[in-house]
Amino acid sequence: MQSTVPATFKTSGAPVTPPAPPVDAWRSMTIGTMATAPIHELLTTLGVRLVEVDPGELAADGIVGYFSGRVGDAEIQIERSLPQADRESVVRDLLARIRPEEQTYTKRSLTGPRLRPAMVGGKPVHIECPSWCYLDHVAENEGFLVDVYHCGDTVSLMAPRMGGAAQPVLHARLNADSFGTDVAHQAPHVIVDDETEFAHMTPEQAREFASNLEAFAAQVRAMAEQAAGR
């Protein structure tokens, strides 16, 4: 005899709450939930696959974790050799960035420089390369060692425009001309530019600039409130 008991009820007759769709579950999650819920539950609820790749596959590029996808259909990659003590923080950090929209994200190592292959004058060499540098020094194939530099990902300040799309007005990135002749630029520093003028800042100067931006943002916000008649 075929059972006619609804799938959402136990055989005892007690109702069973069906699992919420991944996007609905994600919307209902708090920061506390993301920080404390068991990892396996978060992965299942958000529809994320955890894939262990061969040792060195990510570390060769200074990466400890890689995320690709969206809520309901995503994949996180970590190396099989990643210490257990580090796994949870890496996976939680990647899960905290998940969105309904498709995206990719790499979590880079915070350790010091690592040896990376490079081509200089058409010859293979190995150089120290900071973990934040994304350049492929083999593909760059600089003519001389003094031309080899390190560059981090660029962040941009976007300005909305009336009647048009938002446009970038400022860019910032990490940089280091480790082998260059300008001693001041050899250490890691921050470059801010508007595509015309370039400002090289020490870490302390970059912090000061960030504080200036915060003050500027407060003034812009006050202007916006005045324009809105508040």
Side-chain angles (χ1 to χ4, degrees):
M1 180 177 177
Q2 187 176 7
S3 172
T4 57
V5 178
T8 54
F9 281 78
K10 296 179 181 177
T11 54
S12 63
V16 176
T17 303
V23 173
D24 291 345
W26 171 79
R27 288 196 179 105
S28 67
M29 284 185 178
T30 64
I31 295 176
T33 301
M34 293 295 287
T36 60
I39 291 292
H40 70 276
E41 288 185 11
L42 290 173
L43 293 170
T44 301
T45 302
L46 298 173
V48 181
R49 301 177 299 280
L50 183 61
V51 178
E52 294 185 338
V53 300
D54 292 335
E57 187 172 327
L58 300 177
D61 293 316
I63 297 171
V64 293
Y66 175 78
F67 173 90
S68 175
R70 56 181 172 77
V71 174
D73 182 17
E75 179 177 293
I76 287 177
Q77 293 182 7
I78 58 174
E79 290 191 355
R80 191 176 300 113
S81 57
L82 184 67
Q84 196 65 39
D86 298 330
R87 287 183 173 226
E88 182 168 331
S89 63
V90 170
V91 173
R92 283 192 190 278
D93 185 50
L94 292 171
L95 285 174
R97 299 172 184 275
I98 193 170
R99 298 292 183 271
E101 301 79 26
E102 193 85 15
Q103 64 174 332
T104 60
Y105 177 76
T106 54
K107 181 174 176 62
R108 296 189 177 275
S109 170
L110 297 179
T111 57
R114 74 274 197 205
L115 284 178
R116 295 284 305 283
M119 293 289 285
V120 178
K123 297 180 180 179
V125 297
H126 278 79
I127 61 172
E128 279 197 350
C129 182
S131 60
W132 45 261
C133 178
Y134 73 87
L135 293 177
D136 182 341
H137 294 294
V138 173
E140 292 289 320
N141 193 11
E142 300 288 2
F144 301 94
L145 185 60
V146 294
D147 298 321
V148 177
Y149 67 100
H150 305 293
C151 186
D153 295 327
T154 297
V155 295
S156 299
L157 177 63
M158 305 296 290
R161 298 188 304 164
M162 291 189 289
Q167 294 290 329
V169 293
L170 279 180
H171 308 283
R173 64 187 181 279
L174 278 167
N175 196 80
D177 297 321
S178 303
F179 310 100
T181 56
D182 190 332
V183 176
H185 291 175
Q186 289 177 357
H189 58 280
V190 177
I191 295 179
V192 175
D193 74 272
D194 61 0
E195 300 180 9
T196 302
E197 299 290 336
F198 293 78
H200 293 253
M201 306 179 187
T202 65
E204 187 56 40
Q205 290 171 330
R207 293 188 191 99
E208 180 183 351
F209 178 69
S211 296
N212 292 341
L213 283 178
E214 292 171 355
F216 177 76
Q219 292 174 331
V220 171
R221 187 171 292 108
M223 293 177 191
E225 296 301 322
Q226 278 187 306
R230 297 175 183 173

